Amino acid sequence: MTTVTVTASRSYDVEIGSGLLQALGARAAGLVNGRHGVIVTDTNVAPLYLAKAEKSLKNGGFTVSTFVFPAGEASKNGKTWLELLEFLAAEHLTRGDLLVALGGGVVGDLTGFAAASFLRGIAWLQLPTTLLAAVDASVGGKTAIDLQNGKNLAGAFYQPTGVLCDTDTLATLPDEIFADGCAEVIKYGLLNSKPLLEKLAAENFRAAPEEIIAACVAMKRDAVIEDEYDTGTRRMLNLGHTVGHAIEVCSGYGISHGKAVAMGMMVIARAAVKKNLCLPEVPEKLSALLERYHLPCRTEYTVPQLYEKALSDKKRLGDTLTLVIPTEWGASRLHNVPVEELPDWIAKGLES
């Protein structure tokens, strides 16, 4: 097992390894004084792991309630969030009790925002069951729901009390869901780790994911410690996300986050090359790596469609938007762009 400690407004451990779902109750009992736990999960994960999580919490001395909502990004909205808050109130949860997010990024985002909101803040644990959540969404305290005009536009920075990343849960992931997580792993390599990119190109890590997950979590840990509230260097983690989020919204969330980020990275890499800000080899290498992990490299959406949705990006400050651009293979930087120049960036990124 690997442990990565995040030192932020709340310090906590991210534990990565096999069999951690069975340890949930014991870990939870050592973190909170209350003994009522609410497991929040979705209709995909519940048949696989809810019973195990319930049993572990009960063995740890907890009374357990469960809230299960329809799987998918379309459920990460104000309606589901309010339903969860009403459920917690009906269950008479106290500030000493616990929420458990059992699932992928949608479950974690929704549960975390509920934890930040209910009684002005209660403890919550992350149990990521997807690669994407394990390497990225479960760490760092970004919680949110989507609004009609954009993704993650309502939320809070609220660190979890702990993260238990049971690598056994990744074995049940369909190939395309595992591929979504690979997009975020590739993102970390493109940001600042050429060795990670080389490792991804040389071997398939699905059979033994702990090392790769720990490397990504450590990189995110460093970003969170330096810039918890995402006003400076932590914004680097948004590589591919400005256009990626626009693609998701344009598709009505029919295109998954990982696939959208993959396309978003390619758009920004191509554009950066055409603007002489990135080495020409980067898009070609990135395309080959994305294809190796069964991720798309192009989007069919037009400049006007993507621009309209990108205007709601939460990284926009007035008339300026901060893009993350790759500069070479394994290195990226922040680049401020006037909003009126964004269509040209998107257009150049959509070109061959």
Side-chain angles (χ1 to χ4, degrees), residues 285-337:
K285 286 187 173 183
L286 178 58
S287 176
L289 195 55
L290 291 174
E291 289 175 359
R292 172 179 169 81
Y293 287 94
H294 311 292
L295 289 161
C297 296
R298 293 194 174 275
T299 176
E300 298 301 317
Y301 291 109
T302 65
V303 173
Q305 288 173 314
L306 295 173
Y307 176 62
E308 177 191 358
K309 300 306 180 185
L311 288 178
S312 295
D313 194 290
K314 59 187 180 298
K315 296 175 287 301
R316 177 182 172 189
L317 296 173
D319 294 329
T320 302
L321 188 68
T322 301
L323 298 177
V324 188
I325 60 168
T327 55
E328 58 184 273
W329 193 232
S332 301
R333 69 177 178 86
L334 298 174
H335 183 73
N336 292 327
V337 174

Side-chain angles (χ1 to χ4, degrees), residues 34-339:
R35 285 298 178 267
H36 190 170
V38 173
I39 301 172
V40 182
T41 191
D42 65 28
T43 50
N44 285 344
V45 177
L48 297 170
Y49 301 116
L50 180 55
K52 291 181 181 179
E54 284 185 288
K55 181 179 179 181
S56 183
L57 273 182
K58 288 177 179 177
N59 288 342
F62 285 82
T63 299
V64 182
S65 306
T66 61
F67 182 89
V68 182
F69 64 89
E73 187 77 28
S75 290
K76 203 179 81 175
N77 55 37
K79 180 177 180 292
T80 311
W81 173 68
L82 284 172
E83 288 174 352
L84 175 53
L85 293 181
E86 292 288 2
F87 179 83
L88 300 179
E91 290 293 310
H92 304 293
L93 236 65
T94 73
R95 294 190 74 182
D97 293 318
L98 178 72
L99 295 189
V100 176
L102 177 67
V106 169
V107 173
D109 282 358
L110 180 71
T111 306
F113 190 31
S117 309
F118 188 68
L119 301 179
R120 298 192 177 95
I122 64 174
W124 68 299
L125 277 175
Q126 286 263 37
L127 269 76
T129 60
T130 67
L131 178 63
L132 192 152
V135 300
D136 190 72
S138 66
V139 180
K142 279 189 178 181
T143 73
I145 56 174
D146 303 332
L147 303 182
Q148 289 184 359
N149 285 305
K151 184 180 169 81
N152 296 335
L153 294 184
F157 289 95
Y158 192 66
Q159 301 295 339
T161 309
V163 180
L164 301 178
C165 177
D166 189 338
T167 53
D168 295 340
T169 65
L170 305 184
T172 57
L173 289 180
D175 290 342
E176 63 176 304
I177 304 301
F178 188 84
D180 281 333
C182 293
E184 290 285 354
V185 175
I186 292 168
K187 177 199 78 175
Y188 278 104
L190 190 56
L191 281 175
N192 63 5
S193 181
K194 190 174 180 180
L196 177 57
L197 292 172
E198 291 172 346
K199 189 175 183 65
L200 292 174
E203 60 185 70
N204 187 329
F205 67 93
R206 179 158 191 171
E210 182 175 329
E211 180 183 353
I212 293 291
I213 293 172
C216 294
V217 169
M219 282 188 270
K220 186 157 192 182
R221 181 262 327 267
D222 294 344
V224 171
I225 289 174
E226 184 174 348
D227 177 26
E228 180 174 358
Y229 298 106
D230 204 23
T231 60
T233 55
R234 184 175 175 177
R235 291 180 295 172
M236 290 284 288
L237 301 178
N238 292 314
L239 175 61
H241 284 59
T242 295
V243 175
H245 283 172
I247 290 170
E248 286 185 82
V249 178
C250 284
S251 74
Y253 300 107
I255 295 176
S256 66
H257 178 69
K259 292 178 179 61
V261 167
M263 291 184 275
M265 287 191 291
M266 282 301 305
V267 167
I268 208 67
R270 292 191 201 104
V273 169
K274 291 182 174 68
K275 290 179 177 289
N276 297 314
L277 298 171
C278 176
L279 294 181
E281 67 180 31
V282 172
E284 182 179 351
K285 286 187 173 183
L286 178 58
S287 176
L289 195 55
L290 291 174
E291 289 175 359
R292 172 179 169 81
Y293 287 94
H294 311 292
L295 289 161
C297 296
R298 293 194 174 275
T299 176
E300 298 301 317
Y301 291 109
T302 65
V303 173
Q305 288 173 314
L306 295 173
Y307 176 62
E308 177 191 358
K309 300 306 180 185
L311 288 178
S312 295
D313 194 290
K314 59 187 180 298
K315 296 175 287 301
R316 177 182 172 189
L317 296 173
D319 294 329
T320 302
L321 188 68
T322 301
L323 298 177
V324 188
I325 60 168
T327 55
E328 58 184 273
W329 193 232
S332 301
R333 69 177 178 86
L334 298 174
H335 183 73
N336 292 327
V337 174
V339 169

